[in-house]
PDB file of all heavy atoms in Angstrom:
ATOM      1  N   ASP M  75       0.205 -17.437   3.814  1.00  0.00           N
ATOM      2  CA  ASP M  75      -0.461 -16.940   5.021  1.00  0.00           C
ATOM      3  C   ASP M  75       0.515 -16.928   6.195  1.00  0.00           C
ATOM      4  O   ASP M  75       0.544 -15.981   6.995  1.00  0.00           O
ATOM      5  CB  ASP M  75      -1.676 -17.799   5.360  1.00  0.00           C
ATOM      6  CG  ASP M  75      -2.841 -17.588   4.398  1.00  0.00           C
ATOM      7  OD1 ASP M  75      -2.833 -16.562   3.681  1.00  0.00           O
ATOM      8  OD2 ASP M  75      -3.737 -18.448   4.356  1.00  0.00           O
ATOM      9  N   ARG M 130      -8.140  -0.782  -2.471  1.00  0.00           N
ATOM     10  CA  ARG M 130      -9.011  -0.077  -1.526  1.00  0.00           C
ATOM     11  C   ARG M 130      -8.806   1.435  -1.630  1.00  0.00           C
ATOM     12  O   ARG M 130      -9.768   2.207  -1.607  1.00  0.00           O
ATOM     13  CB  ARG M 130      -8.722  -0.541  -0.104  1.00  0.00           C
ATOM     14  CG  ARG M 130      -9.093  -1.978   0.157  1.00  0.00           C
ATOM     15  CD  ARG M 130      -8.941  -2.337   1.612  1.00  0.00           C
ATOM     16  NE  ARG M 130      -9.844  -1.567   2.449  1.00  0.00           N
ATOM     17  CZ  ARG M 130     -10.003  -1.770   3.741  1.00  0.00           C
ATOM     18  NH1 ARG M 130      -9.317  -2.708   4.349  1.00  0.00           N
ATOM     19  NH2 ARG M 130     -10.841  -1.040   4.448  1.00  0.00           N
ATOM     20  N   ALA M 159      -7.087  -0.317   8.648  1.00  0.00           N
ATOM     21  CA  ALA M 159      -7.394  -1.742   8.548  1.00  0.00           C
ATOM     22  C   ALA M 159      -6.136  -2.575   8.353  1.00  0.00           C
ATOM     23  O   ALA M 159      -6.086  -3.748   8.723  1.00  0.00           O
ATOM     24  CB  ALA M 159      -8.373  -1.996   7.399  1.00  0.00           C
ATOM     25  N   ARG M 173      12.656  -3.936  -1.461  1.00  0.00           N
ATOM     26  CA  ARG M 173      12.692  -3.441  -2.840  1.00  0.00           C
ATOM     27  C   ARG M 173      11.335  -3.549  -3.518  1.00  0.00           C
ATOM     28  O   ARG M 173      10.966  -2.703  -4.331  1.00  0.00           O
ATOM     29  CB  ARG M 173      13.743  -4.204  -3.648  1.00  0.00           C
ATOM     30  CG  ARG M 173      13.455  -5.686  -3.828  1.00  0.00           C
ATOM     31  CD  ARG M 173      14.500  -6.329  -4.748  1.00  0.00           C
ATOM     32  NE  ARG M 173      14.199  -7.726  -5.001  1.00  0.00           N
ATOM     33  CZ  ARG M 173      14.575  -8.716  -4.218  1.00  0.00           C
ATOM     34  NH1 ARG M 173      15.269  -8.451  -3.121  1.00  0.00           N
ATOM     35  NH2 ARG M 173      14.269  -9.961  -4.505  1.00  0.00           N
ATOM     36  N   HIS M 198     -11.324  22.228 -12.838  1.00  0.00           N
ATOM     37  CA  HIS M 198     -10.798  23.566 -13.159  1.00  0.00           C
ATOM     38  C   HIS M 198     -10.179  23.545 -14.561  1.00  0.00           C
ATOM     39  O   HIS M 198      -8.964  23.437 -14.707  1.00  0.00           O
ATOM     40  CB  HIS M 198      -9.744  23.991 -12.138  1.00  0.00           C
ATOM     41  CG  HIS M 198     -10.191  23.869 -10.712  1.00  0.00           C
ATOM     42  ND1 HIS M 198     -11.059  24.756 -10.124  1.00  0.00           N
ATOM     43  CD2 HIS M 198      -9.889  22.945  -9.755  1.00  0.00           C
ATOM     44  CE1 HIS M 198     -11.260  24.405  -8.856  1.00  0.00           C
ATOM     45  NE2 HIS M 198     -10.572  23.313  -8.621  1.00  0.00           N
ATOM     46  N   GLN M 228       0.253   7.030  15.975  1.00  0.00           N
ATOM     47  CA  GLN M 228      -0.868   7.024  16.913  1.00  0.00           C
ATOM     48  C   GLN M 228      -0.753   8.193  17.906  1.00  0.00           C
ATOM     49  O   GLN M 228      -0.734   7.995  19.136  1.00  0.00           O
ATOM     50  CB  GLN M 228      -0.920   5.691  17.667  1.00  0.00           C
ATOM     51  CG  GLN M 228      -1.146   4.503  16.753  1.00  0.00           C
ATOM     52  CD  GLN M 228      -1.240   3.188  17.503  1.00  0.00           C
ATOM     53  OE1 GLN M 228      -0.836   3.075  18.657  1.00  0.00           O
ATOM     54  NE2 GLN M 228      -1.784   2.180  16.846  1.00  0.00           N
TER      55      GLN M 228
END
Side-chain angles (χ1 to χ4, degrees):
D75 288 343
R130 293 187 63 174
R173 65 175 184 274
H198 308 284
Q228 298 182 343

